Amino acid sequence: MHNLLFTDNATPVIFRDLKWVDRAPTLVLETTQDVRPTGILTQVPLTPGAFLGFSTIKTDLQATGLSTNRYCAGYAQASHQYVGFEHRPCPNTAPITTGKQCSRCIALDEFSAMHGIHRGARLLPAAQAYASLDHWLYIATFPDGTSKIGTASAHSNPRRLDEQAVAFATFIGHANDGAQVRIWEDFISKETGLVQAKQARAKYKAWCSPLPHDRVEKAHSQAVALARWSLQEAALFEDFITEDQIIDQPWQPSSAMESTYSALKAGWLNALPTLVDRECGFYVSGATGKFLTVHHGDPALPFLVNLTELSNRALLPHHQPSEQPLSQSSLF
């Protein structure tokens, strides 16, 4: 049985992320050498039926010399070869106890300034080129009926929404650049009360305890209507948006998400207990955002896995399916 996480049967890896590449889920893994991250990232396409097996048992990690905490995620640097950002590994391969980055990588990160560009944050020329791209404003609604507002660049549309694990989403504005779209984002937040972020754990809880599909769809329609009305009012009285920049373009899940959204609509998804400090093995049946739908041998009994629990953690090889939980987790 081939374990997609490991190129051999012995060498640990650092799980970095689940990304969406060309609308398909892709594992981002970092190799280790002498019990330290190497800085070398590999992307592994995640295919239906793939087996993933790993151990995060703390005593075993300690025995190998690997950290039981997360490792620093590194930092983003604007590319001088193309418009966008490149990942740079943490110079110290530092374990951390909070957040995603050590203090050094926070200082080196060039993408974080993007969030303040509309308030005068200064960007280096390569980062400014990215900020000058077209950007989109969207409303995303989750299976618990809550909604948020967000932005996507020409480079991250529709990937930005693919990685959000939304139930519904609609693009409502097409901006000239990153500064303009963030003015809109702040304006809508102030006018409507829509938040700009929803934590992964809250999204996971929403997916495992969803409202009826029609209620979520109605909540999304109401949030979109309110936000678009606010933009239309602004187009009449403010100078930061024009009427022709207001759009109504629904986002659609990709084919790689079909089984996961079918399970959500049918109410079949169960929460899987924590992935930390245990051995896990399961077969992948689908994905959305940072979550996987998996089974332990019976595809008719899908569970939802929150891979953000593994982000930037060391994984040891484990090559056997784990025992199927008897019922839905009571974590919530």
Side-chain angles (χ1 to χ4, degrees):
M1 178 167 51
H2 176 60
N3 190 340
L4 207 60
L5 288 168
F6 299 93
T7 56
D8 60 50
N9 291 330
T11 306
V13 299
I14 310 299
F15 182 88
R16 287 302 187 182
D17 205 354
L18 173 63
K19 288 191 173 293
W20 287 78
V21 179
D22 297 328
R23 309 219 66 194
T26 302
L27 302 174
V28 181
L29 307 173
E30 183 173 349
T31 56
T32 63
Q33 185 174 8
D34 299 328
V35 298
R36 291 177 65 86
T38 63
I40 301 171
L41 299 181
T42 58
Q43 293 191 351
V44 182
L46 193 57
T47 53
F51 176 76
L52 303 182
F54 56 90
S55 171
T56 54
I57 293 178
K58 292 182 178 181
T59 54
D60 292 343
L61 288 168
Q62 290 169 341
T64 64
L66 289 162
S67 174
T68 59
N69 293 320
R70 298 180 191 269
Y71 285 90
C72 174
Y75 62 97
Q77 185 176 62
S79 173
H80 295 275
Q81 299 180 357
Y82 60 88
V83 178
F85 289 82
E86 297 175 336
H87 174 265
R88 294 286 182 257
C90 175
N92 299 326
T93 61
I96 54 176
T97 56
T98 60
K100 295 182 179 180
Q101 296 168 292
C102 67
S103 57
R104 181 175 181 180
C105 286
I106 289 173
L108 291 171
D109 196 281
E110 295 181 3
F111 185 81
S112 58
M114 288 289 299
H115 300 295
I117 185 175
H118 59 305
R119 293 188 290 267
R122 300 183 64 181
L123 301 180
L124 295 174
Q128 183 62 54
Y130 179 88
S132 299
L133 295 172
D134 287 12
H135 279 68
W136 282 261
L137 188 72
Y138 66 77
I139 302 296
T141 302
F142 300 92
D144 59 358
T146 62
S147 298
K148 69 176 284 287
I149 191 164
T151 70
S153 74
H155 277 193
S156 62
N157 183 358
R159 174 174 53 82
R160 176 65 177 157
L161 279 167
D162 292 347
E163 296 181 348
Q164 290 287 309
V166 302
F168 296 95
T170 302
F171 294 102
I172 62 169
H174 184 186
N176 296 327
D177 54 42
Q180 185 180 47
V181 81
R182 284 170 174 79
I183 291 173
W184 299 353
E185 185 180 32
D186 284 356
F187 173 78
I188 293 297
S189 289
K190 182 179 178 180
E191 292 294 309
T192 67
L194 285 170
V195 299
Q196 297 182 16
K198 188 176 178 74
Q199 298 300 314
R201 182 174 175 81
K203 294 179 187 178
Y204 185 63
K205 181 178 179 179
W207 272 80
C208 295
S209 304
L211 293 177
H213 183 79
D214 58 342
R215 287 181 59 186
V216 180
E217 188 172 22
K218 182 178 180 180
H220 179 65
S221 297
Q222 291 173 338
V224 168
L226 181 60
R228 293 187 77 249
W229 179 82
S230 297
L231 288 181
Q232 288 163 350
E233 287 286 294
L236 290 174
F237 301 109
E238 307 288 350
D239 60 2
F240 55 73
I241 189 170
T242 59
E243 182 69 29
D244 63 346
Q245 291 181 298
I246 303 170
I247 61 176
D248 186 3
Q249 297 177 357
W251 168 87
Q252 296 294 333
S254 74
S255 58
M257 304 176 190
E258 287 179 1
S259 63
T260 303
Y261 279 85
S262 295
L264 172 69
K265 193 171 182 179
W268 291 345
L269 290 171
N270 293 312
L272 196 71
T274 180
L275 305 178
V276 178
D277 201 19
R278 61 183 298 226
E279 292 177 332
C280 299
F282 38 67
Y283 302 92
V284 176
S285 57
T288 181
K290 307 297 184 181
F291 308 149
L292 299 180
T293 44
V294 306
H295 64 87
H296 299 79
D298 184 355
L301 294 173
F303 288 80
L304 194 70
V305 173
N306 180 5
L307 286 187
T308 62
E309 279 200 301
L310 298 182
S311 294
N312 304 311
R313 291 187 181 275
L315 305 182
L316 299 174
H318 177 71
H319 301 294
Q320 298 297 323
S322 48
E323 185 176 349
Q324 178 177 292
L326 294 177
S327 62
Q328 179 166 323
S329 169
S330 60
L331 292 175
F332 309 126

